[in-house]
């Protein structure tokens, strides 16, 4: 343990300081929170394994990050004394020297010395005042505790004990900092991931196959899931890059209940009864890095209308509570909101509502100080975290499906974070709770087997590969029967995918989410020029205009005082001359300045009064001109720095590479890298280390790529290519030289075989002749195969070294590839198992298929040789990716590929304005899906098909009209008969084949006719 314990001194001092500051502030304000205590005693006895923490445990974790058994802490507003064992005291020595004095008293085997330590603490308590704060509800035991109680008994009559449990919760534990909130978020996402991506699948399988599985067996399966790191790495709700499954533990459940027996308390446990296909309640809570989260959902199997209606009401109540939870709101108002919603819709269900609908959560599983009930007057603050647990207990079912469905309960639990002036963040929103996601209808599926029979129309439809290969470019010569069957099959499948996307959109973007789903609102930025008056430049004493480039500030003399304005508040500056005076006009940013980029500039209070401009007059025109130029240059410099900072926002600083020490690392030499580092291109070596790759060129330049930052790994062989490639696509970009890069590629050229397998240069061949060329071709083929083998083995070694990361080697399928223009040049795009890639020519293209929402094919019209493809991502704030100028011969293969990987696609005749479409979607995603979602793309292609059918129907003729037209054509002049006869003879001759002499004569005749026509035209022009 000694080597593992590392206490963060900065966090310790910061949190201790914030506690004592809150304590002193409460004393000045009238002792409303701490009740006037002069000291606080936090006592920890022997270590006991419990699911939930007591307040003493929480204080240890909050300050130290660890639990120190057999330890006494005595707090005063000005100091902290700690009594602990010698071994633990060594870990605490490094915390000395902070703003708040820290006294550490080490216990040894000498009883007298130990007693003196307790006496000193008792003297400290008596000197601090009569009132001493204790944790009344905490229970702890052990020899250390008994010794302290014996010593404390001597002064217990002289002091007044005050329970400070609530005070420590509010002043220390309730409001979380960024590190704590990050741990809470990871814990919540892991909980929601287990619920959605494991439990729901297991439950569905049990119900669908009618297995007999007990609640306890199902809970045990969930319990074992936290021991599988790969499961958490592949969750849809992404966890932090350094997420460590070793620090995960269950604090609540897993609990699975069904069949009429329900307990909605945190102490509930799964029983030995079998899972019943009715109302199923599942709940679980995880602790990650000591911080807790909870999630619970109710799943309804074949519910009746009453059950579904009651669940919808519960969901409305749950969402209303969450929406009400904002900074400044009293806790009891949340409960009142729940009651008001129930009374307005179904008053008879008020008695079934749980007495509390949540509490505080964090280091403690349940912080009762923030219990959400009708009496709690505590006020919520930004940074607090709660679990909202809304439930109805023991509702009678008017139409029970079976004996076990006579009564049922409903429960929804989420973990949230309170925010200022906006709706709370729901950390567990990855587990859907809408009716479409929690209601399962198995009986309806059994009653409707007919659609399956209708799909089996053509036995030939099964051969997909044949439809992907076209032997001719002429549409008239292609076989259309298989294509038509494939098209019909695809249309049915696409309808299913489109319906699924619509349902997913409605469930993901519900009305209660608020503006988290809309356009990301720009945040108001506060700029500080100077913290103190003595930081002003010395020139301000002259009451002149001073441009302070160091502080990015302009100091202007106003009413005899120097007033600083940060350059970010300045719009522009201009100088003009009128007579003998020069005028300097400085315009500032303010709301409603007309059309321009700064229209959406955020302001703290847009209704306040703003200074729009200031004008200064001077006889010194040169100085005014110089100041205007300085302000302009400073403004440009600030904007440029802001842009550079914004561009590098997503660049991450990777952890250090852990090198292999006990053996030589696996190495691949004579490798080039892209993007290239500064200077001349030189080869280098790639090495596999413990937690990443290292590339070192012959000049000593290094590139480190950690496995934790790798999103995809590709191996592309040199078949039909000039190079063989190992390509790494990163989660977050890194800096290579002075540029950021999200793709790192290691390659070797395969055309000029300068190297053999040992890395030595080959001698050049100077022999000529067919045999020598044949031998050289054979040698090149052999070396290409060896090169592919070498790189593939190295890629597999990388996969093996990073086996815990959850990704593997992906190889492009060349046979499914197609040409297109993703950037500026026409390249060959190739699908892989997880991506669509182009790795041969920079800039590289890597599109992750799981991130695609829909695909749209543009310019799909008869007569056009090319079409375009647009991918819209699930993250609507991410701009769509275009792949343009794809040959029309690839249209059917592309459709087949998209359909095979379950990507919903549509097609249309025109290019769409995607920037305006995405703005409309991000402004209100919920309304977008309510209005039909992506169906507008399919509607466009359907309208085009209808137009074509109408045009075709205009030329249709009845049999009578056709016969009449044939008779009239027979009665026409002999010229038509001759012409048709000649035409028929030409066709028969062509079908029989003409010799070269006849073709040459015809060509000369046409040339002469063309020449005569040209000459005639020339004469007419001259006249």
């Amino acid at each position: 343990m000694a080597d593992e314990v590392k206490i963060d001194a900065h966090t310790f001092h910061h949190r201790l300081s914030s506690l004592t500051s809150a304590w002193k502030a409460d004393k000045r304000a009238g002792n409303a929170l701490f009740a006037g205590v002069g000291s606080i005693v936090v006592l920890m006895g022997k270590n006991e394994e419990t699911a939930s923490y007591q307040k003493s445990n929480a204080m240890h974790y909050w300050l130290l990050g660890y639990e120190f058994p057999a330890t006494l802490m005595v707090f005063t507003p000005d100091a902290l004394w700690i009594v602990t064992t010698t071994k633990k005291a060594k870990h605490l020595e490094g915390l000395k020297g902070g703003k708040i004095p820290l006294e550490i008293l080490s216990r040894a085997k000498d009883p007298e010395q130990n007693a003196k330590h307790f006496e000193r603490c008792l003297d400290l308590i008596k000197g601090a005042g009569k009132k001493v704060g204790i944790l009344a509800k905490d229970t702890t035991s052990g020899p250390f505790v008994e010794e302290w109680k014996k010593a404390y008994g001597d002064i217990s009559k002289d002091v007044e004990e005050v329970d400070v449990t609530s005070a420590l919760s509010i002043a220390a534990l309730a409001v979380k900092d960024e590190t704590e909130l990050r741990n809470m978020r990871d814990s919540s996402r892991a909980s929601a991931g287990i619920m959605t991506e494991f439990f729901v699948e297991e439950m569905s399988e049990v119900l669908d196959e009618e297995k007999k599985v007990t609640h306890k067996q199902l809970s045990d399966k969930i319990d074992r899931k936290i021991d599988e790191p790969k499961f958490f790495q592949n969750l849809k709700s992404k966890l932090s890059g350094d997420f460590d499954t070793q620090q995960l533990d269950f604090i609540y459940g897993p609990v699975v209940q069904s069949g009429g027996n329900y307990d909605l308390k945190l102490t509930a446990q799964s029983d030995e009864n079998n899972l019943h296909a009715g109302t199923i309640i599942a709940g679980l809570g995880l602790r990650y890095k000591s911080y807790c989260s909870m999630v619970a959902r109710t799943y309804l199997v074949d519910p009746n209308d009453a059950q579904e209606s009651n669940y919808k009401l519960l969901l409305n109540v749950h969402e209303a509570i969450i929406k009400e939870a904002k900074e400044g709101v009293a806790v009891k108002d949340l409960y009142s909101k729940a009651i008001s919603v129930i009374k307005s819709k179904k008053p008879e269900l008020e008695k079934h509502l749980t007495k509390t609908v949540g509490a505080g959560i964090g280091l403690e599983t349940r912080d009762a100080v923030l219990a959400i009930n009708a009496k709690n007057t505590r006020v919520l603050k930004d940074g607090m975290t709660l679990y909202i647990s809304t439930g109805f207990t023991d509702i009678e079912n008017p139409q029970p499906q079976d004996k076990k469905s006579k009564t049922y309960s409903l429960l929804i639990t989420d973990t949230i974070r309170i925010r200022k002036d906006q709706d709370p963040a729901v950390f567990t929103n990855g587990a859907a709770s809408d009716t479409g996601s929690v209601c399962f209808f198995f009986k309806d599926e059994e009653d409707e087997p007919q659609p399956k029979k209708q799909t089996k129309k053509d036995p030939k439809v099964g051969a997909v590969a044949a439809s992907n290969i076209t032997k001719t470019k002429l549409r008239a010569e292609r076989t259309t029967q298989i294509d038509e069957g494939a098209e019909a099959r695809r249309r049915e499948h696409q309808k299913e995918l489109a319906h699924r996307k619509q349902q997913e959109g409605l469930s993901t973007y519900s009305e209660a989410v608020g503006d988290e789903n809309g356009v990301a609102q720009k945040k108001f930025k506060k700029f500080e020029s100077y913290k103190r008056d003595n930081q002003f430049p010395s020139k301000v004493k002259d009451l002149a205009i001073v441009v302070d480039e160091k502080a990015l500030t302009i100091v202007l003399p106003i009413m005899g005082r120097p007033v600083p304005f940060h350059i970010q508040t300045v719009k522009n500056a201009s100088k003009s001359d009128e007579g003998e005076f020069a005028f300097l006009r400085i315009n500032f940013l303010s709301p409603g300045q007309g059309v321009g980029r700064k229209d959406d500039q955020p302001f703290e209070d847009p209704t306040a009064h703003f200074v729009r401009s200031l004008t200064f007059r001077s006889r010194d025109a040169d100085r005014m001109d110089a100041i205007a130029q300085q302000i302009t240059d400073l403004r440009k410099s600030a904007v440029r720095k802001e842009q550079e900072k914004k561009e590098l926002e997503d660049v991450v600083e990777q952890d250090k590479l852990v090198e292999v020490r006990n053996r030589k690392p696996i190495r691949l030499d004579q490798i080039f890298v892209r993007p290239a580092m500064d200077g001349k291109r030189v080869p280098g070596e790639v090495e596999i280390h413990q937690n990443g790759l290292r590339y070192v060129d012959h000049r000593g330049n290094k590139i480190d790529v950690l496995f934790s930052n790798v999103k995809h790994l590709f191996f592309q062989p040199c078949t039909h290519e000039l190079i063989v490639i190992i390509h790494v696509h990163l989660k977050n970009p890194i800096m290579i030289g002075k540029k950021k890069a999200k793709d790192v590629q290691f390659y070797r050229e395969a055309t000029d075989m300068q190297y053999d397998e040992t890395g030595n240069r080959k001698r050049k061949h100077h022999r000529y002749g067919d045999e020598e060329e044949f031998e050289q071709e054979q040698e090149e083929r052999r070396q290409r195969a060896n090169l592919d083998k070498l790189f593939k083995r190295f890629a597999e070694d990388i996969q093996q070294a990073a086996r815990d990361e959850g990704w593997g080697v992906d190889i492009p399928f060349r046979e499914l590839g197609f040409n297109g223009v993703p950037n500026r040049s026409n390249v060959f795009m190739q699908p892989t198992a997880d991506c669509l890639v182009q790795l041969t020519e920079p800039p590289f293209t890597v599109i992750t298929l799981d991130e695609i929402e829909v695909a749209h094919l543009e310019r799909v019209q008869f007569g056009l040789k090319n079409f375009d493809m647009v991918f819209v991502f699930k993250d609507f704030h991410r701009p769509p990716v275009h792949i343009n100028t794809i040959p029309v011969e690839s249209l059917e293969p592309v459709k087949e590929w998209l359909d095979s990987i379950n990507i919903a696609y549509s097609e249309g005749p025109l290019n769409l304005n995607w920037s305006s479409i995405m703005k409309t979607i991000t402004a209100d995603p919920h309304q977008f899906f309510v209005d039909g979602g992506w169906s507008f793309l399919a509607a466009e292609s359907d309208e085009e098909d209808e137009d074509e059918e109408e045009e075709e129907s205009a030329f249709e003729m009845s049999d009578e009209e056709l016969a009449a037209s044939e008779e009239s054509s027979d009665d026409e002049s002999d010229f038509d008969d001759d012409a048709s006869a000649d035409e028929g003879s030409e066709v028969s001759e062509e079908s029989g084949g003409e010799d070269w002499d006849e073709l040459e004569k015809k060509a000369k005749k046409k040339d002469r006719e063309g020449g005569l026509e040209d000459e005639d035209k020339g004469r007419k022009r001259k006249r």
Side-chain angles (χ1 to χ4, degrees):
M1 181 181 173
D3 297 332
E4 296 175 1
V5 175
K6 291 181 181 178
I7 300 173
D8 189 335
H10 173 75
T11 302
F12 171 80
H13 291 300
H14 173 72
R15 292 180 179 177
L16 180 60
S17 179
S18 68
L19 173 61
T20 54
S21 298
W23 192 354
K24 291 175 182 177
D26 182 61
K27 278 193 173 185
R28 293 192 296 269
N31 296 315
L33 188 60
F34 285 87
V37 299
S39 59
I40 297 173
V41 175
V42 176
L43 179 64
M44 173 77 74
K46 66 180 181 181
N47 194 4
E48 296 178 356
E49 291 290 334
T50 56
S52 59
Y53 288 167
Q54 298 186 110
K55 198 69 68 178
S56 54
N57 303 73
M59 287 299 296
H60 274 244
Y61 278 107
W62 186 67
L63 280 173
L64 306 173
Y66 298 90
E67 186 181 277
F68 278 37
T71 299
L72 172 71
M73 291 183 177
V74 180
F75 297 83
T76 69
D78 302 310
L80 169 61
W81 286 36
I82 299 178
V83 181
T84 189
T85 61
T86 306
K87 192 175 182 181
K88 298 187 189 80
K90 290 179 181 177
H91 302 306
L92 300 173
E93 286 295 332
L95 303 178
K96 288 185 176 180
K99 184 179 177 182
I100 308 296
L102 175 64
E103 185 73 24
I104 300 171
L105 305 176
S106 301
R107 286 170 59 83
K109 294 183 179 180
D110 185 0
E112 293 182 6
Q113 186 69 26
N114 296 340
K116 287 182 181 178
H117 291 334
F118 282 152
E119 286 176 14
R120 291 182 64 187
C121 290
L122 294 172
D123 292 339
L124 178 67
I125 292 170
K126 287 188 287 185
K130 281 192 174 183
K131 290 186 177 182
V132 55
I134 62 166
L135 302 175
K137 294 181 180 180
D138 277 23
T139 56
T140 185
S141 60
F144 178 82
V145 175
E146 296 302 322
E147 284 184 45
W148 167 250
K149 285 182 178 179
K150 186 177 179 182
Y152 179 74
D154 298 336
I155 67 159
S156 59
K157 296 178 182 179
D158 302 329
V159 295
E160 179 186 348
E161 293 182 347
V162 178
D163 187 6
V164 291
T165 302
S166 300
L168 291 180
S169 283
I170 299 300
L173 305 176
V175 178
K176 314 294 189 294
D177 58 29
E178 288 185 12
T179 304
E180 293 175 294
L181 289 171
R182 193 180 303 114
N183 293 335
M184 290 282 296
R185 183 193 63 196
D186 282 342
S187 175
S188 301
R189 287 184 176 178
S191 299
I194 290 178
M195 178 67 71
T196 306
E197 299 182 36
F198 180 72
F199 171 74
V200 173
E201 297 297 325
E202 286 291 318
M203 178 189 70
S204 302
E205 185 181 339
V206 170
L207 296 175
D208 198 21
E209 299 179 9
E210 298 182 358
K211 295 179 179 178
K212 290 186 178 181
V213 178
T214 66
H215 300 143
K216 186 73 168 60
Q217 289 172 337
L218 204 50
S219 298
D220 292 341
K221 267 192 174 183
I222 302 170
D223 199 350
R224 291 192 293 269
K225 205 65 187 174
I226 63 171
D227 298 326
E228 299 179 19
K230 285 188 178 180
F231 172 78
F232 294 98
Q233 290 163 2
N234 298 325
L235 285 180
K236 292 178 183 176
S237 299
K238 294 298 181 185
L239 304 170
S240 298
D242 58 350
F243 187 81
D244 183 9
T245 54
Q246 297 296 321
Q247 301 196 52
L248 268 181
D249 195 13
F250 278 103
I251 49 102
Y252 160 54
V255 181
V256 182
Q257 304 175 76
S258 67
N261 298 320
Y262 302 100
D263 181 2
L264 305 189
K265 297 177 183 177
L266 293 180
T267 54
Q269 293 184 344
S270 301
D271 57 29
E272 294 291 345
N273 294 325
N274 288 336
L275 187 71
H276 173 254
T279 302
I280 301 170
I281 296 178
L284 60 94
L286 287 177
R287 175 181 282 128
Y288 177 66
K289 292 185 177 178
S290 304
Y291 287 86
C292 306
S293 67
M294 272 192 277
V295 63
R297 294 290 182 264
T298 302
Y299 297 98
L300 304 172
V301 182
D302 295 318
N304 55 41
D305 293 341
Q307 288 176 309
E308 202 167 343
S309 175
N310 290 339
Y311 181 82
K312 286 180 180 177
L313 174 62
L314 179 70
L315 185 61
N316 289 337
V317 173
H318 187 74
E319 291 172 348
I321 295 172
I322 291 176
K323 201 166 187 178
E324 186 75 9
K326 295 179 181 176
E327 185 178 41
V329 175
V331 174
K332 66 177 183 178
D333 293 343
L334 304 186
Y335 194 83
S336 301
K337 184 69 175 178
I339 296 294
S340 64
V341 173
I342 296 171
K343 283 184 175 179
S344 65
K345 295 185 178 180
K346 288 190 177 183
E348 67 274 11
L349 289 179
E350 182 184 347
K351 62 183 180 182
H352 295 283
L353 183 69
T354 51
K355 292 182 180 179
T356 60
V357 290
I361 192 170
L363 286 166
E364 296 174 276
T365 307
R366 183 181 186 275
D367 189 350
V369 174
L370 292 174
I372 305 173
N373 53 38
K375 299 178 181 179
N376 195 338
T377 57
R378 301 284 180 194
V379 177
L380 299 176
K381 295 180 182 179
D382 181 19
M384 285 183 172
T385 51
L386 310 171
Y387 75 88
I388 306 296
S389 186
T390 318
F392 290 144
T393 58
D394 301 328
I395 306 172
E396 288 189 12
N397 189 354
Q399 298 174 337
Q401 294 87 338
D402 50 45
K403 292 180 181 179
K404 293 184 177 181
S405 301
K406 290 181 180 179
T407 59
Y408 63 95
S409 298
L410 302 172
L411 179 67
I412 306 174
T413 303
D414 279 302
T415 304
I416 69 168
R417 174 239 168 138
I418 305 301
R419 297 194 291 191
K420 187 176 181 180
D421 299 330
Q422 55 181 319
D423 290 344
V426 183
F427 285 154
T428 49
N429 60 0
S433 56
D434 61 287
T435 52
S437 300
V438 301
C439 293
F440 296 83
F441 297 92
F442 290 100
K443 289 181 181 177
D444 291 350
E445 289 178 6
E446 292 171 5
D447 297 339
E448 296 178 5
Q450 293 178 358
K452 294 182 179 179
K453 293 180 181 178
Q454 292 176 357
T455 55
K456 297 181 180 179
K457 293 180 180 178
D458 189 354
K460 296 180 180 179
V461 174
V464 177
S467 66
N468 289 340
I469 302 169
T470 55
K471 296 180 180 179
T472 176
K473 292 186 178 181
L474 300 176
R475 294 182 179 178
E477 296 178 17
R478 294 181 191 167
T479 55
T480 57
Q481 289 181 354
I482 296 178
D483 290 344
E484 286 174 2
E487 182 66 24
R489 178 179 53 78
R490 282 201 302 264
R491 281 185 179 177
E492 285 299 318
H493 188 217
Q494 284 299 312
K495 282 181 183 177
E496 293 176 13
L497 292 176
H499 178 70
R500 196 185 305 166
K501 283 290 172 193
Q502 177 70 5
Q503 295 304 315
E504 286 176 4
L506 288 171
S507 63
T508 303
Y509 299 99
S510 59
E511 290 177 306
V513 178
D515 34 22
E516 277 187 5
N517 293 329
V519 179
Q521 298 292 327
K522 289 190 176 181
K523 294 182 180 178
F524 172 75
K525 289 184 179 180
K526 289 187 177 181
F527 301 100
E528 192 174 41
S529 297
Y530 306 106
K531 290 185 178 180
R532 293 179 294 278
D533 292 346
N534 59 6
Q535 292 179 333
F536 276 88
S538 56
K539 295 180 183 177
V540 300
K541 295 178 182 177
D542 303 332
L543 289 178
I545 299 174
V546 179
V547 180
D548 187 353
E549 295 182 3
K550 187 177 180 182
L552 297 175
T553 300
I554 306 163
V555 184
L556 303 176
I558 301 176
M559 305 293 289
R561 291 178 179 272
V563 180
F565 292 87
H566 197 277
I567 193 64
Q568 294 288 359
T569 65
V570 177
K571 186 178 182 183
N572 54 40
S574 61
K575 175 249 180 185
S576 60
D577 296 313
E578 289 184 19
E580 60 181 359
F581 292 104
F583 292 85
L584 175 67
R585 180 183 175 89
I586 302 174
N587 296 316
F588 298 95
L589 295 170
S590 61
Q593 285 187 319
V595 181
R597 287 186 177 181
K598 292 292 176 183
D599 275 359
D600 55 352
Q601 175 78 19
F603 293 91
E604 189 172 22
D605 182 11
T607 61
H609 293 283
F610 287 83
V611 177
R612 284 207 169 180
S613 64
L614 292 173
T615 305
F616 295 87
R617 187 181 71 175
S618 173
R619 295 180 185 275
D620 190 348
D622 292 338
R623 173 164 167 71
M624 291 289 104
D625 198 23
I627 292 172
Q629 189 60 44
Q630 284 179 344
I631 294 172
T632 303
D633 293 343
L634 186 60
R635 176 73 185 152
K636 287 180 180 177
S637 174
V639 169
R640 187 178 64 253
K641 287 179 181 177
E642 193 76 17
Q643 287 175 345
E644 290 174 356
K645 184 180 177 182
K646 190 175 181 181
E647 188 180 344
L648 298 177
E649 269 181 355
D650 55 347
V651 175
V652 296
E653 188 173 341
Q654 299 184 117
D655 296 333
K656 290 184 178 180
L657 186 80
V658 180
E659 297 183 30
V660 175
R661 297 292 184 188
N662 55 351
R663 58 175 174 80
K664 286 186 177 180
I666 301 172
R667 182 182 289 117
L668 195 62
D669 58 1
Q670 301 300 335
I671 300 298
F672 296 97
V673 68
R674 293 195 291 194
M677 290 185 281
D678 299 335
K680 186 180 177 183
R681 191 187 74 147
V682 293
E685 296 178 341
V686 190
E687 299 174 344
I688 303 175
H689 290 277
Q690 287 186 25
N691 64 335
L693 303 175
R694 168 166 286 173
Y695 175 81
V696 185
D697 66 13
H698 293 174
R699 290 193 298 263
N701 297 323
K702 293 180 182 178
I703 299 176
D704 290 344
V705 178
L706 296 191
F707 295 143
S708 59
N709 194 29
V710 175
K711 189 175 183 181
H712 298 292
L713 176 68
F714 302 101
F715 159 66
Q716 181 173 296
C718 55
T719 311
H720 304 291
E721 298 289 351
L722 302 177
I723 55 177
V724 59
I725 294 169
I726 289 176
H727 187 97
V728 180
H729 183 65
L730 305 176
K731 296 175 184 175
N732 299 298
I734 60 173
M735 294 300 294
I736 297 180
K738 296 179 181 178
K739 296 180 180 179
K740 72 173 185 178
K742 204 170 182 179
D743 293 273
V744 182
Q745 187 177 102
F746 308 108
Y747 70 98
R748 189 189 289 179
E749 294 176 354
T751 49
D752 183 13
M753 287 297 174
Q754 299 173 341
Y755 310 103
D756 61 9
E757 292 82 352
T758 59
N760 298 320
R761 290 182 178 273
K762 284 179 64 66
R763 65 180 186 274
K764 293 182 179 178
H765 291 273
H766 294 288
R767 299 178 297 170
Y768 298 94
D770 292 341
E771 292 182 3
E772 287 79 4
E773 285 182 8
F774 178 73
E775 286 179 12
Q776 200 165 352
E777 286 176 8
Q778 290 286 83
E779 178 68 14
E780 187 173 331
R781 285 197 196 98
R782 188 185 67 81
Q783 290 211 17
R784 276 175 173 266
N786 289 339
L787 201 55
D788 286 344
K789 195 174 179 181
L790 180 68
F791 270 66
K792 187 178 182 182
R793 187 168 62 246
F794 189 76
E796 288 169 351
D797 289 338
I798 296 173
Q799 178 183 345
Q800 180 63 23
R803 55 187 174 275
D804 294 333
E805 296 297 329
W807 44 260
V809 183
D810 217 351
I811 302 175
F813 303 121
R814 191 173 182 85
E815 60 274 15
L816 297 179
F818 55 89
N819 286 300
V821 183
N823 292 292
R824 291 186 178 180
S825 55
N826 196 318
V827 293
F828 191 66
M829 306 293 301
Q830 300 180 79
T832 70
D834 299 321
C835 302
L836 177 65
V837 300
Q838 184 283 120
L839 309 175
T840 307
E841 188 177 319
F844 309 116
T845 303
V846 178
I847 302 170
T848 306
L849 300 179
D850 286 343
E851 296 173 358
I852 295 173
E853 174 79 2
V854 294
H856 183 63
L857 309 179
E858 300 180 328
R859 296 195 303 120
V860 179
Q861 298 186 56
F862 181 78
L864 292 182
K865 295 181 179 180
N866 304 301
F867 68 96
D868 304 330
M869 180 160 54
V870 182
F871 288 115
V872 181
F873 295 100
K874 292 175 182 176
D875 178 5
F876 294 148
H877 293 94
R878 185 175 167 187
V881 169
H882 297 250
I883 301 175
N884 301 323
T885 324
I886 304 172
V888 75
E889 291 80 20
S890 301
L891 180 59
E892 288 300 312
V894 166
K895 284 182 182 179
E896 189 63 42
W897 168 66
L898 290 172
D899 190 67
S900 67
I901 57 175
N902 294 328
I903 290 181
Y905 71 83
S906 53
E907 57 184 85
L910 303 173
N911 290 105
L912 302 179
N913 187 347
W914 285 99
S915 59
S916 61
I917 290 173
M918 298 314 294
K919 281 181 183 177
T920 304
I921 296 171
T922 52
D924 191 350
H926 173 72
Q927 190 59 41
F928 170 73
F929 282 103
V930 168
D931 294 339
W934 300 108
S935 60
F936 79 95
L937 296 174
E940 181 191 0
S941 59
D942 291 342
E943 287 171 10
E944 181 199 358
D945 293 341
E946 287 173 11
D947 293 342
E948 287 181 3
E949 287 174 7
E950 288 174 6
E951 290 173 7
E952 289 172 5
S953 63
F955 293 98
E956 289 179 2
M957 299 176 70
S958 65
D959 295 339
E960 295 176 1
E961 290 174 341
L962 184 62
S965 64
E966 287 175 355
E967 289 173 7
S968 62
S969 63
D970 291 339
D971 296 337
E972 285 178 1
S973 63
D974 295 335
F975 177 78
D976 289 335
D977 296 334
D978 296 338
S980 61
D982 293 342
E983 205 172 295
S985 65
E986 284 182 14
V987 171
S988 62
E989 287 173 11
E990 284 181 13
S991 61
E994 297 180 357
D995 59 16
W996 284 107
D997 294 336
E998 288 174 352
L999 290 171
E1000 193 170 355
K1001 286 177 184 178
K1002 281 188 177 183
K1004 287 180 179 179
K1005 184 179 179 182
K1006 287 181 180 179
D1007 290 341
R1008 281 199 303 272
E1009 289 173 356
L1012 287 170
E1013 287 174 6
D1014 292 339
E1015 287 176 11
D1016 292 338
K1017 288 178 184 176
R1019 287 170 190 163
K1020 287 176 183 177
R1021 290 194 194 102
K1022 288 177 183 178
R1023 290 173 189 168

